[in-house]
Amino acid sequence: MDALLLFLSKYVFGYFLQDVVFIMGIYTFGKEKLDKKTFLLMISVFIPTNIIVKVLPMSYGINILINIAVVLYITYRFCEFELYSIIRSTLTTTLLVLFTEMACVGCLLMLFGKNTADLILQTPVLKASVYIPFNCLLAFFIYLCYRRMISKNY
């Protein structure tokens, strides 16, 4: 049961949701209308790459830089966005993901204190479960921004 909970919380509602939201954020902050074909192509390339990069034994900052480079390449190569738009949207989305994760850790510290928060962050199932509401909130925020952008531009 713990393995199923870990898989669902870490990979489905964690990495998968965050990666889909990340790609959606690129469309949103790049002020581009979502094209299903290129969106699915970007997801099919970005998600496996992101999982491979997260498994590699390197520090967290290097993972982010590699993911940004992959997203920049995929977006430039397949979506034909303007380069400035790609860079702006990728960095904005990356910062939103980082702020969401910082808010999650901050809330943990405020609600439970340092010792309990450390214990939660060391337990894989609990750690992954804690990030689910914040990923959902980020998804909702980017969805609202996308709907607003669509209503203004199209």
Side-chain angles (χ1 to χ4, degrees), residues 70-84:
V70 167
V71 168
L72 288 173
Y73 177 75
I74 294 169
T75 310
Y76 184 72
R77 176 88 170 131
F78 298 112
C79 297
E80 300 174 2
F81 291 5
E82 293 179 23
L83 189 58
Y84 172 74

Side-chain angles (χ1 to χ4, degrees), residues 20-21 29 57 71 95 98 104 106 111 120-121 131 147-148 151:
V20 170
V21 168
F29 300 115
V71 168
L95 288 174
L98 290 174
C104 179
L111 291 173
I120 290 171
L121 292 175
Y131 283 101
R147 295 300 300 169
R148 184 171 180 221
S151 67

Side-chain angles (χ1 to χ4, degrees), residues 9-149:
S9 60
K10 186 174 185 177
Y11 293 103
V12 175
F13 294 108
Y15 294 152
F16 181 77
L17 178 63
Q18 194 175 67
D19 291 347
V20 170
V21 168
F22 194 88
I23 299 300
M24 184 72 179
I26 290 173
Y27 276 93
T28 301
F29 300 115
K31 298 180 181 169
E32 295 286 337
K33 190 169 183 175
L34 187 79
D35 177 47
K36 290 179 186 176
K37 184 179 175 183
T38 56
F39 182 74
L40 291 175
L41 178 68
M42 287 177 69
I43 287 174
S44 67
V45 173
F46 181 64
I47 289 175
T49 304
N50 195 14
I51 290 172
I52 290 169
V53 167
K54 287 184 180 188
V55 171
L56 295 175
M58 57 180 80
S59 67
Y60 189 66
I62 302 298
N63 293 347
I64 292 172
L65 292 175
I66 291 172
N67 285 335
I68 288 173
V70 167
V71 168
L72 288 173
Y73 177 75
I74 294 169
T75 310
Y76 184 72
R77 176 88 170 131
F78 298 112
C79 297
E80 300 174 2
F81 291 5
E82 293 179 23
L83 189 58
Y84 172 74
S85 174
I86 297 169
I87 293 170
R88 181 189 66 224
S89 62
T90 302
L91 292 178
T92 303
T93 307
T94 301
L95 288 174
L96 276 173
V97 169
L98 290 174
F99 286 140
T100 303
E101 291 180 359
M102 285 181 359
C104 179
V105 172
C107 287
L108 274 177
L109 288 171
M110 287 190 299
L111 291 173
F112 299 111
K114 186 180 180 333
N115 294 334
T116 308
D118 285 344
L119 181 66
I120 290 171
L121 292 175
Q122 290 173 358
T123 310
V125 174
L126 291 176
K127 178 182 178 182
S129 301
V130 164
Y131 283 101
I132 292 172
F134 289 91
N135 281 340
C136 292
L137 224 105
L138 179 64
F140 183 68
F141 175 74
I142 288 186
Y143 173 76
L144 289 178
C145 289
Y146 180 76
R147 295 300 300 169
R148 184 171 180 221
M149 184 273 303

Side-chain angles (χ1 to χ4, degrees), residues 1-11 125:
M1 186 68 172
D2 278 347
L4 177 64
L5 283 175
L6 181 62
F7 175 77
L8 287 174
S9 60
K10 186 174 185 177
Y11 293 103
V125 174

